[in-house]
Amino acid sequence: MTDVAGSARIDKRAFVEDGAIIGENCEIGPFCYVGRDVVLGDDVTLMHHAVVEGRTDIGAGCRVFPMAIIGGEPQSIRHDGSLTTLKVGKNCTMREGVTINTGSSHGGGKTVVGDNNLFLANSHVGHDCVIGSNVVLSNNVMVGGHAIIDDRVILSGGAAIHQFVHVGRQAFVGGLAGVVNDIIPYAMVVDNPAFMGGLNVVGMTRSGMSRSELHIVRKAYKAIFADGRVRENASAARDAFAGQSDAALEIIDFVLNREGERALTTPGSRRRGGETG
C-alpha cells in the first residue's frame, strides 16, 4: 500500500505505484513516474517528467529536474536482474537528464550518494559508485561503475571517470579530462589522458587552509612525486611531515593505503600527457 504524507502534493497526471513512500511536503509534478520500491524523504521535489524507480531512497530536500532517471537498473551485462539499491542523501540537486543507477548483483548491490551534491545536466553515475558530500558533477560528466568520489570533489564538464577509480577529497578535475587512474586529495587534474597539473590551490584556499599549511602541503607533494619512486617517497614523507599538516598526511596516507586496482595519476605536461605509477 502506498504511504503518502498528507501534506504531499501530487499532480493528477503523475503516476505513483502502489508501495511507494512519499514524505511530508513532497511535490510531484505532471508526468512523473515513481516506482513501488521508492522512498521520497520530506520536502523532495520531482519536476515534470522526472523518473524515480528501483529500490531507491531519496533524502529530504532533494530536487529532481525533468527527464532525469534516478534508480535505473545497472548498465552491466553481468547483472542478474535482482533488485539492488540506490541511496541519495539530503539536499541533492539532479538536473535535466541526469542518470544514477542502482548497484549491481556482482558489485555489492548498492550505489550510495552523500548530501548537498549538485549533478548538472546529463551527468551520469554508474552502478556501485560511492559519491561523497558537497560534490559537483558538471554537465555531461560520466562516472563509471564502482568509482569512489570523495567529499568536495569538482568534476568539470565532460570529464570521464573510469570504473573503479578513486578520486580523493577536494580534487579538481578539468573539463573533458579522461581519468583512468586514482587521484590524490587536493590534486588538480587535466587533459586526456589525465595528468596532475599541481594542487587545487584555489579550492584549498577557499576551504580555509592557511598559507603556512598550503606551503607544507606543496612541500609534501613535491617530495612524493620527486621521481618515479612514489610509494617509497610517500613512506619517507609520512615521518617527515608527521604533525605538520593534516592535509599533507591525508595525501600521504591516500598513496600508501590505496586498495583499488587502478594505478595512480601522477604529474605530467600537456606536451607528453600523463604518467602512471
Side-chain angles (χ1 to χ4, degrees), residues 33-49:
Y33 170 79
V34 179
R36 63 184 179 183
D37 296 306
V38 168
V39 177
L40 300 183
D42 297 343
D43 303 302
V44 169
T45 298
L46 306 185
M47 298 184 187
H48 62 89
H49 295 90

Side-chain angles (χ1 to χ4, degrees), residues 190-265:
V190 295
D191 221 334
N192 186 8
F195 65 88
M196 277 197 297
L199 293 170
N200 180 17
V201 175
V202 172
M204 296 161 76
T205 302
R206 287 176 177 172
S207 69
M209 187 177 294
S210 68
R211 198 176 187 88
S212 58
E213 184 172 13
L214 183 57
H215 180 66
I216 294 169
V217 176
R218 278 175 163 159
K219 287 177 64 177
Y221 172 85
K222 290 178 180 178
I224 294 168
F225 297 104
D227 52 43
R229 299 175 300 170
V230 173
R231 187 172 181 81
E232 293 86 342
N233 293 342
S235 183
R238 189 68 176 78
D239 293 330
F241 290 90
Q244 295 189 46
S245 163
D246 290 341
L249 293 182
E250 185 178 354
I251 294 172
I252 292 166
D253 288 341
F254 184 94
V255 173
L256 294 176
N257 299 328
R258 292 186 315 115
E259 297 179 350
E261 61 183 51
R262 310 306 299 176
L264 189 67
T265 302

Side-chain angles (χ1 to χ4, degrees), residues 129-152:
C129 286
V130 177
I131 309 295
S133 296
N134 300 294
V135 172
V136 177
L137 271 65
S138 300
N139 297 67
N140 301 306
V141 165
M142 299 171 287
V143 179
H146 315 278
I148 300 173
I149 311 296
D150 288 340
D151 295 348
R152 304 186 66 84

Side-chain angles (χ1 to χ4, degrees), residues 21-264:
I21 299 175
I22 312 298
E24 296 288 351
N25 299 310
C26 285
E27 184 170 353
I28 300 176
F31 308 111
C32 288
Y33 170 79
V34 179
R36 63 184 179 183
D37 296 306
V38 168
V39 177
L40 300 183
D42 297 343
D43 303 302
V44 169
T45 298
L46 306 185
M47 298 184 187
H48 62 89
H49 295 90
V51 173
V52 183
E53 56 187 355
R55 185 173 288 172
T56 298
D57 188 327
I58 304 288
C62 288
R63 297 191 301 160
V64 184
F65 279 66
M67 314 311 293
I69 301 178
I70 311 303
E73 285 192 7
Q75 299 179 88
S76 171
I77 59 174
R78 296 170 57 196
H79 181 60
D80 64 9
S82 58
L83 194 60
T84 54
T85 66
L86 165 65
K87 183 172 179 59
V88 178
K90 299 177 182 178
N91 301 317
C92 291
T93 298
M94 291 148 272
R95 292 299 304 255
E96 297 84 353
V98 166
T99 52
I100 305 178
N101 295 157
T102 59
S104 69
S105 57
H106 58 84
K110 59 183 179 180
T111 301
V112 180
V113 175
D115 302 331
N116 306 311
N117 295 317
L118 175 59
F119 301 88
L120 294 184
N122 300 307
S123 55
H124 170 73
V125 176
H127 57 83
D128 305 295
C129 286
V130 177
I131 309 295
S133 296
N134 300 294
V135 172
V136 177
L137 271 65
S138 300
N139 297 67
N140 301 306
V141 165
M142 299 171 287
V143 179
H146 315 278
I148 300 173
I149 311 296
D150 288 340
D151 295 348
R152 304 186 66 84
V153 166
I154 295 177
L155 305 177
S156 300
I161 310 299
H162 195 284
Q163 60 184 1
F164 293 101
V165 159
H166 185 176
V167 180
R169 191 168 73 91
Q170 208 167 316
F172 178 89
V173 177
L176 302 178
V179 178
V180 298
N181 294 311
D182 291 349
I183 297 174
I184 63 168
Y186 306 104
M188 182 176 65
V189 172
V190 295
D191 221 334
N192 186 8
F195 65 88
M196 277 197 297
L199 293 170
N200 180 17
V201 175
V202 172
M204 296 161 76
T205 302
R206 287 176 177 172
S207 69
M209 187 177 294
S210 68
R211 198 176 187 88
S212 58
E213 184 172 13
L214 183 57
H215 180 66
I216 294 169
V217 176
R218 278 175 163 159
K219 287 177 64 177
Y221 172 85
K222 290 178 180 178
I224 294 168
F225 297 104
D227 52 43
R229 299 175 300 170
V230 173
R231 187 172 181 81
E232 293 86 342
N233 293 342
S235 183
R238 189 68 176 78
D239 293 330
F241 290 90
Q244 295 189 46
S245 163
D246 290 341
L249 293 182
E250 185 178 354
I251 294 172
I252 292 166
D253 288 341
F254 184 94
V255 173
L256 294 176
N257 299 328
R258 292 186 315 115
E259 297 179 350
E261 61 183 51
R262 310 306 299 176
L264 189 67

